[in-house]
Amino acid sequence: MSSPLKKSAEKVQNILRDFGHELQVIELQDSTRTSDEAARTIGCSVSQIAKSLIFKGKASQQPVLVIASGTNRVNEKTIKAYLGEKLEKADADFVLEHTGYVIGGIPPVGHHSLIKTFIDEDLLQYEEIWAAAGTPNAVFKLTPQILIEIVDGTVVPIT
């Protein structure tokens, strides 16, 4: 590595190291804030981007993480069936408070709060996927099986 990682990306790298897998956070020159930007910058398909989306339970006001394939839109009614409550959109302050990260760089791990997590079953078809690593320019490559292990999430159809 030519330069040290930014603080948020370094935090994610340290958390990933604790899982015992060889997962390497990289910071890129171009933005990876959106799935399209990330895929273009990395050189993979948009579907291989594991985007971390934070919602809020309407009744509980608790955070809910949906890790979706980059091309998929989350069907909130589908998630409601698994969660038992409606979802609301979470604003930037809520996301930062519960994850410790800004929108556009939310990793699937290392959040401030324990977050109920759902993983898009469409991600399982790929040998490798890419996830955000704490900043809008940091990512890491992993397998869907490792993702399931490190986030302790429930695999569901999200569309």
Side-chain angles (χ1 to χ4, degrees), residues 8 12 32-33 52 101-108 131-138:
S8 289
V12 173
T32 58
R33 181 178 293 275
S52 294
Y101 302 97
V102 296
I103 293 172
I106 303 166
T135 76
N137 296 78

Side-chain angles (χ1 to χ4, degrees), residues 68-120:
S69 173
T71 53
N72 287 350
R73 179 164 160 62
V74 176
N75 182 333
E76 295 174 23
K77 290 180 182 176
T78 300
I79 300 302
K80 175 189 174 200
Y82 290 97
L83 187 62
E85 70 176 312
K86 287 184 178 181
L87 294 178
E88 293 181 332
K89 299 223 181 292
D91 66 22
D93 290 336
F94 182 88
V95 171
L96 183 60
E97 174 188 347
H98 290 281
T99 68
Y101 302 97
V102 296
I103 293 172
I106 303 166
V109 296
H111 306 129
H112 284 170
S113 304
L114 184 60
I115 301 177
K116 179 73 174 169
T117 302
F118 297 96
I119 301 168
D120 184 353

Side-chain angles (χ1 to χ4, degrees), residues 39 62 131:
Q62 293 301 305

Side-chain angles (χ1 to χ4, degrees), residues 2 9 14 17 31 60 72 87 89 93 98 113 133 136 143 145 153:
S2 58
N14 290 335
R17 192 173 296 117
S31 174
S60 68
N72 287 350
L87 294 178
K89 299 223 181 292
D93 290 336
H98 290 281
S113 304
T143 66
Q145 293 72 29

Side-chain angles (χ1 to χ4, degrees), residues 4-158:
L5 296 171
K6 291 181 182 160
K7 186 177 178 181
S8 289
E10 183 178 3
K11 176 183 171 187
V12 173
Q13 181 64 74
N14 290 335
I15 290 164
L16 293 172
R17 192 173 296 117
D18 289 344
F19 287 114
H21 296 284
E22 295 293 324
L23 302 173
Q24 184 66 47
V25 171
I26 58 172
E27 288 184 305
L28 303 164
Q29 291 293 324
D30 294 326
S31 174
T32 58
R33 181 178 293 275
T34 69
S35 296
D36 287 337
E37 289 175 349
R40 193 169 37 255
T41 300
I42 294 164
C44 67
S45 74
V46 177
S47 297
Q48 287 176 275
I49 301 300
K51 59 184 177 183
S52 294
L53 304 169
I54 299 292
F55 294 90
K56 184 181 351 178
K58 185 172 176 81
S60 68
Q61 295 295 293
Q62 293 301 305
V64 176
L65 170 61
V66 178
I67 303 171
S69 173
T71 53
N72 287 350
R73 179 164 160 62
V74 176
N75 182 333
E76 295 174 23
K77 290 180 182 176
T78 300
I79 300 302
K80 175 189 174 200
Y82 290 97
L83 187 62
E85 70 176 312
K86 287 184 178 181
L87 294 178
E88 293 181 332
K89 299 223 181 292
D91 66 22
D93 290 336
F94 182 88
V95 171
L96 183 60
E97 174 188 347
H98 290 281
T99 68
Y101 302 97
V102 296
I103 293 172
I106 303 166
V109 296
H111 306 129
H112 284 170
S113 304
L114 184 60
I115 301 177
K116 179 73 174 169
T117 302
F118 297 96
I119 301 168
D120 184 353
E121 70 180 7
D122 285 353
L123 289 169
L124 304 183
Q125 66 187 299
Y126 301 102
E127 288 184 31
E128 65 182 35
I129 55 177
W130 292 83
T135 76
N137 296 78
V139 294
F140 66 100
K141 178 174 64 173
L142 71 165
T143 66
Q145 293 72 29
I146 292 173
L147 177 67
I148 292 167
E149 177 188 328
I150 66 176
V151 302
D152 190 28
T154 304
V155 177
V156 299
I158 66 147

